[in-house]
Amino acid sequence: MLSPATKAAAGVTKILAEHDIRSEADRTVEGVEKTARHVADDLSSRANEAGAKLRHIFDDAQGHLNKAGGRLNKEVHENPVRTGLLALGAGVLIGMMLKR
């Protein structure tokens, strides 16, 4: 049988061990939360950078398309017969390729 002093010491040891485990678990949780916040902030920053780059690419493409559309519109108005014949020829070629 264990003496009352031994039982008391075991109880104190148990309480201290539980406290140590809780403290370590709390520190681990805090570390994981801090790391998760850091990762989330980093991902958010990278997503914002990617969004800005995509916006720039989109704006450039839209500018090029607007210029090309303007040139095409000018060409059609200045040379309607030639552009009509070119469109007819392109349609015939596409039709011939689709028949194959």
Side-chain angles (χ1 to χ4, degrees):
M1 252 322 146
L2 297 175
S3 71
T6 304
K7 288 180 182 180
V12 169
T13 302
K14 178 184 172 193
I15 290 170
L16 291 174
E18 289 172 350
H19 180 265
D20 288 347
I21 290 171
R22 272 194 214 103
S23 296
E24 186 63 31
D26 289 344
R27 281 192 297 274
T28 301
V29 167
E30 288 171 5
V32 169
E33 288 173 346
K34 182 179 177 182
T35 301
R37 280 191 300 274
H38 178 71
V39 169
D41 290 344
D42 188 43
L43 286 174
S44 177
S45 174
R46 289 176 188 245
N48 287 336
E49 289 174 15
K53 288 178 183 179
L54 283 174
R55 172 53 62 188
H56 179 71
I57 291 169
F58 177 77
D59 289 343
D60 278 353
Q62 190 174 23
H64 289 302
L65 286 173
N66 287 339
K67 284 181 187 177
R71 286 193 309 255
L72 181 61
N73 193 24
K74 182 180 175 188
E75 181 67 27
V76 168
H77 280 64
E78 289 178 357
N79 301 301
V81 174
R82 184 172 86 182
T83 54
L85 290 174
L86 283 171
L88 177 66
V92 169
L93 284 174
I94 291 172
M96 289 170 55
M97 286 192 297
L98 289 176
K99 281 186 178 181
R100 289 185 181 193

